[in-house]
Amino acid sequence: MLPHKSPAILLSLAVLFSSLTACANTPTAKNLEQSLAADPRLQDNPAIFTETQQGETQAEQNQPTLALPTDFPKEIPLYPNATLQEVTPSNGSENKVSTRWLSSDPSNLITSFYRNQFQTNNWQILQQPTDEAEGSFEARLNNLLAKVSIQPQSVTNPTPNQPQTATSLVIEYTSNSTATTQPSPTTSPGETANNPPQPGDPQFIGPVAPTNLATQPENTVEGQKTATPTPASQQFSDLNKAPQELRKYIQDLASLGVLSIDSQTTKNNSNVSTNQFEPGKIITHREYARWLVATNNAMYASNPAKQIRLAAQSTQSAFSDVSKTDPDFPEIQGLAEAGLIPSPLSGDSTAVLFRPDAPLIREQLILWKVPLDTRQSLPNASLDAVKQTWGFQDVGKIDPKALRAVLADFQNGEQSNIRRVFGYTTLFQPKKPVTRAEAAAALWYFGTQGEGISAVEALKVKTPQN
């Protein structure tokens, strides 16, 4: 259609210009000529044309820009493709600072980033997401406590700075460096939170603050532990937070005094010292190794042949990330030298890292514990054998090294660790992190159906404490 209209348009323009030419000296023509002429101000001052654009640019430059607090800990990893959106400073009542970020990357990528960063930089992971798409990390490094919350978002009206698919990221951090030095509101003169009244002090109000080990001096060689002292009974104030079916196991092991934890003893408003077990928190490799050795040796206190020997400081470390000065080196190295955990000493050349602060997962819980139940070589196992016995739908996700331990655990009948800890299940979820309550349940019994010992039986023969 356009080709047919072009001659008509050209003819109309020709008539218009002819009319203007013929009437060049008429007032109408002069008015039309002036209306079509260029603005003379632009010839004298070209800056007028760009004044509006420059004004808009200047307004954008004058917009306030967000910046991290000057005391933001450099130890906290920052996701590279995230933009700071908001900073909420400490309100004074609690030393917690919150920052909110936005990223166009998918949430599972960000979750993987923080898991790797925390593990690589030796953070103690207290909690981590069970879903790769969203969730929260809680991690501690010395006196620094950080929480990273990851939440996918769907943006209704996307902008250049906020794409259609986005992930919200909230990083909160708290420093405990000052909290432990301030006197408690209920402390008496001369008393601080770091020096609470001790048993025998007239101002002391029970119960006795739990200790990890008895007060008897340890046998040491150049400051290194060489034997596990007799543990003292422990009391925890938050066992009501544990699953009902697991509380008894925790209580029995606490009475045995083998559940040493890293969390600090706190003081409530009644001036009574309490200890938090935090049963729902994820247990780390180092904590479980410590509990495993302490519980085994306490169960077999009268049978040295079944005890795990602690490594001496002069021993060459089996793992490159566990130095001789590590407080848990004697237990970790002792497990490696006994062949109870994978290491280069047991012929596993890939297990050069112990990753002491990484979360313990289910297949590791069984792999480390079952050899102390059977006290013999684990049976040969295949995927079909484990599937036929346990009926796990996700048997293909179990590490081949753990398959033999999982099969041997089935053969232990009602004393099976998996049955005691997880109940009836057709999903093993081998890579799922283990909580403190679950780890305690696994350690409540050592041995097979016909021959073994529980924490209750060990308590009956425990040497009375002075």
Side-chain angles (χ1 to χ4, degrees):
M1 297 297 292
L2 291 177
H4 296 286
K5 291 184 178 181
S6 298
I9 296 173
L10 294 175
L11 180 60
S12 300
L13 291 174
V15 172
L16 175 61
F17 286 119
S18 298
S19 300
L20 292 175
T21 304
C23 305
N25 296 324
T26 63
T28 301
K30 292 184 176 294
N31 291 337
L32 182 61
E33 181 181 1
Q34 292 176 358
S35 65
L36 297 176
D39 189 345
R41 294 181 301 168
L42 296 178
Q43 298 176 355
D44 299 332
N45 188 9
I48 296 176
F49 182 75
T50 59
E51 184 178 19
T52 302
Q53 294 180 339
Q54 291 178 346
E56 294 176 352
T57 303
Q58 187 65 32
E60 293 177 356
Q61 294 176 351
N62 292 334
Q63 290 291 333
T65 57
L66 284 175
L68 285 173
T70 55
D71 60 346
F72 188 89
K74 61 181 181 179
E75 296 87 354
I76 299 179
L78 296 178
Y79 190 69
N81 191 28
T83 305
L84 183 62
Q85 302 290 312
E86 182 182 5
V87 176
T88 304
S90 172
N91 58 13
S93 61
E94 55 180 0
N95 188 24
K96 180 173 70 174
V97 180
S98 176
T99 61
R100 185 172 62 85
W101 306 71
L102 193 68
S103 175
S104 59
D105 290 346
S107 57
N108 61 337
L109 189 63
I110 300 176
T111 300
S112 178
F113 169 82
Y114 275 97
R115 179 176 287 109
N116 292 334
Q117 286 292 316
F118 284 140
Q119 293 177 357
T120 303
N121 295 302
N122 295 323
W123 285 73
Q124 179 186 1
I125 302 179
L126 307 177
Q127 177 183 336
Q128 65 177 337
T130 56
D131 185 349
E132 290 296 323
E134 59 183 301
S136 298
F137 286 95
E138 284 190 21
R140 178 183 287 119
L141 183 64
N142 300 325
N143 290 327
L144 178 62
L145 181 65
K147 180 177 181 180
V148 179
S149 302
I150 302 169
Q151 180 68 43
Q153 288 187 336
S154 179
V155 182
T156 305
N157 298 314
T159 65
N161 294 329
Q162 192 171 12
Q164 181 69 35
T165 301
T167 301
S168 175
L169 188 64
V170 177
I171 301 177
E172 300 174 324
Y173 64 91
T174 305
S175 176
N176 295 329
S177 58
T178 58
T180 57
T181 58
Q182 299 298 326
S184 169
T186 57
T187 53
S188 59
E191 176 193 344
T192 64
N194 285 335
N195 297 286
Q198 300 299 318
D201 192 312
Q203 298 177 347
F204 175 78
I205 302 177
V208 176
T211 55
N212 295 337
L213 300 174
T215 56
Q216 294 94 328
E218 297 181 4
N219 297 325
T220 58
V221 176
E222 299 179 356
Q224 187 72 20
K225 292 182 290 184
T226 58
T228 304
T230 304
S233 177
Q234 299 165 294
Q235 295 180 6
F236 299 112
S237 61
D238 60 345
L239 294 190
N240 60 321
K241 297 180 181 179
Q244 179 66 40
E245 59 274 13
L246 303 183
R247 292 177 191 174
K248 181 181 183 300
Y249 303 133
I250 303 172
Q251 185 60 62
D252 290 343
L253 290 176
S255 299
L256 199 57
V258 294
L259 300 180
S260 58
I261 57 177
D262 296 329
S263 57
Q264 299 296 320
T265 301
T266 58
K267 183 174 290 185
N268 59 25
N269 293 332
S270 301
N271 201 30
V272 176
S273 295
T274 60
N275 210 20
Q276 301 291 313
F277 179 67
E278 299 176 294
K281 284 208 168 182
I282 303 302
I283 189 171
T284 63
H285 287 180
R286 72 162 67 246
E287 280 183 310
Y288 186 60
R290 189 191 316 146
W291 291 9
L292 184 62
V293 173
T295 308
N296 177 84
N297 290 357
M299 294 279 197
Y300 298 104
S302 59
N303 189 350
K306 290 189 176 182
Q307 292 185 351
I308 301 171
R309 300 293 188 266
L310 302 186
Q313 191 175 17
S314 58
T315 306
Q316 179 66 35
S317 178
F319 303 102
S320 60
D321 57 350
V322 180
S323 67
K324 298 179 182 180
T325 58
D326 190 294
D328 296 310
F329 171 79
E331 288 84 358
I332 296 172
Q333 182 69 19
L335 288 171
E337 293 192 347
L340 296 170
I341 58 177
S343 76
L345 298 178
S346 61
D348 191 340
S349 59
T350 62
V352 295
L353 297 176
F354 180 72
R355 298 167 61 212
D357 297 312
L360 183 81
I361 57 178
R362 288 186 173 186
E363 63 182 18
Q364 292 171 330
L365 174 81
I366 303 303
L367 179 60
W368 298 6
K369 169 63 166 38
V370 169
L372 287 170
D373 291 327
T374 62
R375 305 281 170 167
Q376 60 185 6
S377 300
L378 297 177
N380 294 326
S382 63
L383 292 177
D384 289 339
V386 174
K387 189 171 184 179
Q388 290 174 6
T389 53
W390 281 110
F392 291 144
Q393 303 176 43
D394 54 354
V395 65
K397 298 180 180 179
I398 303 176
D399 188 282
K401 291 182 291 187
L403 277 176
R404 300 170 63 193
V406 172
L407 182 60
D409 193 56
F410 177 84
Q411 297 171 352
N412 209 3
E414 293 304 316
Q415 296 301 344
S416 157
N417 296 281
I418 294 176
R419 293 186 177 98
R420 182 168 60 254
V421 179
F422 308 118
Y424 175 75
T425 177
T426 62
L427 289 174
F428 181 48
Q429 302 182 74
K431 303 300 188 290
K432 184 176 181 179
V434 177
T435 66
R436 286 177 171 174
E438 292 170 338
L443 298 175
W444 183 82
Y445 184 90
F446 279 73
T448 59
Q449 287 191 93
E451 183 180 355
I453 184 171
S454 68
V456 174
E457 295 167 327
L459 284 170
K460 294 178 181 179
V461 297
K462 179 181 177 183
T463 303
Q465 299 299 309
N466 294 327

